[in-house]
Amino acid sequence: MTQYVYRFGGGVSDGGKGDRNLLGGKGANLAEMASIGLPVPPGFTISTDFCAVYYDEGGQFPQGLRDEVATGIAHIEGITGKTFGDAADPLLVSVRSGARASMPGMMDTVLNLGLNDQTVEGLAATSGDARFAWDSYRRFIQMYSDVVLELDHGAFEEALEIAKEDRGYFLDTDLSADDLRGLVDEYKGLVEQQWGKPFPQDVHDQLWGAVGAVFGSWQSERAKVYRRLNDIPASWGTAVNIQAMVFGNMGETSATGVAFTRDPSIGTRAYYGEFLINAQGEDVVAGIRTPQYLTVAAREAAGAKPASMEEAMPEVYGELAKVFDLLETHYRDMQDIEFTVQQGKLWMLQTRSGKRTAKAALKIAVDMANEGLITREEAVARIDPMALDQLLHPTLDPKATRDVLTKGLPASPGAASGHAVFDSDTAEKRSNAGESVILIRTETSPEDIHGMHAARGILTARGGMTSHAAVVARGMGRPCVSGAGSIAIDAKAGTMRVGDRTIKAGDMVTIDGTTGEVMAGEVPTVQPELSGDFAALMVWADGVRRLKVRANAETPLDAKVAREFGAEGIGLCRTEHMFFDAERITNVRQMILAEDEAGRRTALDKLLPEQRADFVQLFEVMAGLPVTIRLLDPPLHEFLPHEESEFADVAAAAGIAVDVLKRRAAELHEFNPMLGHRGCRLGVTYPEIYEMQARAIFEAAVDVAQRSGAAPIPEVMIPLVGTKRELELMKTVVDKAAQIVFEQTGTTLDYHVGTMIELPRACLMADEIAEVGAFFSFGTNDLTQTTLGVSRDDAARFLGTYVERGIYARDPFVSLDVEGVGQLIAMAAERGRKTRPDIKLGICGEHGGDPASIAFCEKVGLDYVSASPYRVPIARLAAAQAALAKRD
């Protein structure tokens, strides 16, 4: 019989930190903490394996599981001395989710489970605190009604606010036991009104309802969105953790908090966290009350008055600090910890590797390596390559004028400007339309996940540094300012008031998640400083990677950025991009529309000096490095004139009537231009085009070599080749142009002629094509199109559904389709090497900056990847990680 329930606490640990896949991160770590002697309330975990069974069985619980859970409850009862459902001395439990990958706030939790009209009286009697008992019952009904019964959460919040207003109270803690007893009656009335049945009094019904809700939340819309954004497979499922309650709301000697062993925003080695006296966990993360700082230093730095935990509870704080150090050393990583203090006793509720910004991740990894806690190779392996994107883009110009409206908490660093929006649906809609937006909310909830992802930054009026908005924003790399208490938000009206100023929906605002400032208007930016920890990690990464990393670039600016980011050459220069300039497009159109070679050569003569100047600039930046230049590959429809004024310009330049040009344009019309007269087909029919480009390349290369003494290494790439003969013809054109230039200048330099492999036929015929080509560069964008028979320009309409339904694991234009396209690449590489052992192999599609695709390139032994300039550091780190993974 399959085991689904695993116990922990009281000297028992059925699992440990190595069982993350089976028990989820939370369950594995609870068992591990219990096994090393930390104070963990006893409990048990229903494994992730049962999550699939739950869905397969239509949400039913087999008797075997019920029996195992009964054994788990008995385990908790035996340790606590309390009995589940006992009216005199009741055991209360929490029911929480716990997937193997951390998904903060995405799934459901129920606290204080086991309370009903009888057990609440027993809790009041045994605790000696009626107010605490009725506060716990109030919380339980509210949470259970929201999570399990799926009733209107707002109605319960409104009842609570009215109860406080009627009595002139500001805080929940001001309500007396009698006040809370009356509120419980009101809550039960709301349940009966909305649900049509009384609130469930049977504690076992409560338990199974909560377990079902937690398993059910794995397929909630917000969880699906989070998994999609973070590449978490739906097949992993979640575990459910059932644990004895400990109470932070038992008066002034009780508290609850969330803490990190290092600062998750900037990575400094300092305890970072918040706590609340006389509160439960959801109060801290939900932003219901403004939390207090953990340490004196943090409180003083913020200029806050309420006592820190270090001051208010010095003995418990000292015990907690020792636990921090123990856990960080044990797990060898920065930990995110949840704790509760019940009447002066510390209890640990969770530990996990903490979410952190890219800046913090770098500092923590580098510092831990320098401290000897981890190796340099482990430091390299720990950084998510895509997270580096947070560090590679501009930040606010410190010299720029700032119209500061207010200041909140600096919850997630970085800065962003955008149009103010007040709901997540609008944020997603306007972002999809190409606008930058800032999502402004009183507080975010898990239902806001899609809007937070769409927004450039997030601003909330409530919540602390460990609120939902802060944690999720840091994980996403979005700047966030939280707890900006001076702003008044009217989401329905679409306004934000700060003093006597009003920001309306659509107005530009800027937030600085590093300082907490909120500004009106748009603030200029500056380029980042990529030194210090970033530079150190890149040196370590370069020391272990095998794959070379080049850049896709065709402008001097892109080439310079790429060099600054460590590019080792250019892997793809798309020459057609050089011709879209307004001053050149007329000559290009004249060339395309010419009816004979003489007309084309006339236009090409005008383009030659401009093309040569383009290559001179690139070669100067990349002196001494390889530069792969793809000869013209334009789907002709992109260059043909469409407006009357455009036809008039070309007619004037060519000395031809407009009507003649229109007739010629009609003749060139293609029904499927992406598979039409483009690539080497253009060179085969009009070789003078490639002749001009080759001449420009070699004249520029010789010029730079003579002036700089550092000869560039031109690699001339023939696009869209499907046969050996096509490449032979085009190589002859290139070689002839090279010889002419070398003879005219008296200078010879090394160069290579190869091809872009972007057709399945080219992969199949790679052995023959390698007889001519010195290198293959896999154009994975077009190779994916032609292999899958899917247009990358139109696929967005249905690929999302394909990924959701498991047809493709990820969008194949974002991450390489290893099973299909990858198989063709591996075959072409093998066949090419068989013919030409020293052939150079790389990829230059957008996949060159995708870590999963880079891992595949390492596996099949390609020589290099080429990525967009801002993805070069990502590719360098991913290549290092791929090399390390190959060693294991």
Side-chain angles (χ1 to χ4, degrees), residues 78-95:
I79 295 168
T80 61
K82 299 177 182 293
T83 302
F84 191 51
D86 180 19
D89 190 9
L91 167 68
L92 304 188
V93 298
S94 64
V95 181

Side-chain angles (χ1 to χ4, degrees), residues 313-509:
M313 297 179 165
E315 289 184 10
V316 179
Y317 172 80
E319 186 182 350
L320 183 64
K322 291 178 182 176
V323 171
F324 286 171
D325 293 342
L326 173 63
L327 286 175
E328 184 171 279
T329 302
H330 185 75
Y331 283 94
R332 301 168 65 246
D333 196 8
M334 183 265 278
Q335 294 297 290
D336 171 1
I337 294 163
E338 292 179 17
F339 64 90
T340 285
V341 180
Q342 178 177 309
Q343 295 179 316
K345 179 170 174 53
L346 175 67
W347 292 97
M348 304 306 299
L349 303 183
Q350 174 174 294
T351 191
R352 61 188 176 191
S353 292
K355 296 284 186 184
R356 63 205 77 179
T357 64
K359 182 177 181 180
L362 275 173
K363 180 164 183 57
I364 290 168
V366 172
D367 283 355
M368 284 186 169
N370 290 333
E371 292 163 16
L373 193 60
I374 61 175
T375 66
R376 288 183 173 185
E377 290 184 352
E378 285 177 304
V380 168
R382 282 194 179 179
I383 306 299
D384 175 6
M386 294 305 296
L388 293 182
D389 202 36
Q390 296 177 36
L391 304 177
L392 305 178
H393 294 279
T395 54
L396 294 185
D397 184 348
K399 298 177 184 177
T401 302
R402 301 186 181 202
D403 181 4
V404 179
L405 297 169
T406 188
K407 194 170 183 179
L409 298 173
S412 182
S417 299
H419 299 278
V421 297
F422 294 90
D423 67 271
S424 289
D425 289 342
T426 301
E428 186 174 52
K429 183 178 179 182
R430 295 186 71 162
S431 175
N432 288 340
E435 294 184 39
S436 59
V437 298
I438 302 294
L439 178 63
I440 303 173
R441 303 284 281 156
T442 300
E443 59 193 7
T444 62
S445 72
E447 280 72 25
D448 287 312
I449 183 71
H450 61 297
M452 296 174 76
H453 183 257
R456 295 285 180 88
I458 298 114
L459 168 63
T460 67
R462 297 208 301 232
M465 303 286 279
T466 53
S467 65
H468 175 267
V471 171
V472 174
R474 282 197 295 268
M476 287 183 170
R478 299 290 187 278
C480 176
V481 174
S482 65
S486 63
I487 63 177
I489 296 169
D490 186 336
K492 290 183 179 177
T495 61
M496 175 182 81
R497 283 188 298 104
V498 186
D500 59 356
R501 298 183 66 177
T502 300
I503 299 294
K504 298 176 182 177
D507 290 349
M508 287 296 294
V509 293

